[in-house]
Amino acid sequence: MDPIRIAIVGMGKIARDQHVPAILGNNAFSLAATVSPRDSGLEDVPHHRALDALLDEGPAVDAVALCTPPQVRYDLAALALRRGVHVFLEKPPGATLSEVAALKSLAEKTGATLFASWHSRFAAGVAPARAWLAERRIDAVSIVWREDVRVWHPGQDWIWEPGGLGVFDPGINALSIVTHILPRPFFLKEATLVLPENRAAPIAADIQFRDTAGAPIHMDLDWRQTGPQSWDIVVETDAGTLKLANGGAVLSLPSGTEHSEDVEYPGLYSRFATLIRGGRSDVDIDPLRLVADAFLRGRRETTDAFYD
């Protein structure tokens, strides 16, 4: 079977650090081209400044991975889908829920695969955590996702603009895990969003959710953490405590702790290849919907101006 010819659109840090090695390490794909208006691309890989130029002039591609900021992703995805090209969407899948719904409808009409990826779901501890929780009574959940924005998003002004999500850019990773591992749906009850006086997106948030059986779920997000970073989910159950640490890579159960290597992006590309070969799409918007609820219902507080 011939490999899937894929182009990366948007050659920022995530593309170079994660997408390129995951594609090169998967025999189901061949990296056919890159696209970026500012970056010069990779040595020995054809490069274009715009996606329409690639699709018009070649080389031919079967799929694209969109690694651009979410605010510009809809037009790129729609262009590719209309050409019958499969689309991998980095998280979050769009700047709005309506954009993603429109893309899903377009993919259904064209028959191309649309994959709304959530890389944290492919962290090594997530699948066994989901299996262990499937038949447990959930009593309470705590999510602490605190990191230093200067380390992870230096100089990325788009992330502070409307649609860039602010601290929910990492926070949505936690929500992608929790919506996947908990056996029941949950919804927002109240939220406080803390916005720097010079930014349009929050730098911190405190959120209260509740699942459909009444279990409380508390989420603490902060982009001002220095020193050790915190990406932890703790689930209290009738059978003891489950903890996912390091973004889902380390799973602790009453029976012991398991440490595993980073398998997120290789897992994403294996999933994308399976979807393409099967003629299917995977467009889960639950994490983005919860973020939208926080923006819809959350109380705003203003804090000191933030500068990189």
Side-chain angles (χ1 to χ4, degrees), residues 244-277:
L244 281 168
N246 197 23
V250 180
L251 172 63
S252 297
L253 296 172
S255 58
T257 299
E258 299 177 9
H259 300 258
S260 299
E261 62 183 15
D262 180 10
V263 294
E264 292 181 13
Y265 279 82
L268 284 176
Y269 275 95
S270 293
R271 174 65 172 163
F272 191 35
T274 298
L275 291 170
I276 292 171
R277 301 299 192 200

Side-chain angles (χ1 to χ4, degrees), residues 211-229:
D211 79 3
T212 53
I217 301 168
H218 177 246
M219 187 175 201
D220 172 14
L221 303 177
D222 205 312
W223 245 352
R224 299 166 294 191
Q225 177 125 319
T226 58
Q229 311 284 276

Side-chain angles (χ1 to χ4, degrees), residues 77 81 86-89 100 102-105 107 112-116 272 275 280-283:
L81 291 171
H86 310 296
V87 174
F88 178 120
L89 297 170
V100 182
L103 291 175
K104 182 179 179 181
S105 177
T113 290
L114 180 64
F115 180 33
F272 191 35
L275 291 170
R280 298 180 291 123
S281 291
D282 181 354
V283 189

Side-chain angles (χ1 to χ4, degrees), residues 59-136:
V61 297
D62 307 301
V64 294
L66 300 186
C67 304
T68 65
Q71 295 97 322
V72 301
R73 206 172 289 156
Y74 172 81
D75 288 337
L76 297 168
L79 172 62
L81 291 171
R82 291 190 183 104
R83 301 285 191 96
V85 174
H86 310 296
V87 174
F88 178 120
L89 297 170
E90 246 296 351
K91 65 87 189 172
T96 69
L97 290 166
S98 297
E99 284 183 0
V100 182
L103 291 175
K104 182 179 179 181
S105 177
L106 182 57
E108 291 170 353
K109 291 177 181 177
T110 63
T113 290
L114 180 64
F115 180 33
S117 70
W118 301 105
H119 65 82
S120 292
R121 285 185 177 172
F122 289 81
V126 173
R130 175 184 168 98
W132 192 83
L133 290 171
E135 297 182 357
R136 312 293 178 189

Side-chain angles (χ1 to χ4, degrees), residues 93 97 100-101 104 116 118 121 172 283-290:
L97 290 166
V100 182
K104 182 179 179 181
W118 301 105
R121 285 185 177 172
I172 204 170
V283 189
D284 178 16
I285 61 170
D286 283 349
L288 183 59
R289 180 164 48 218
L290 290 167

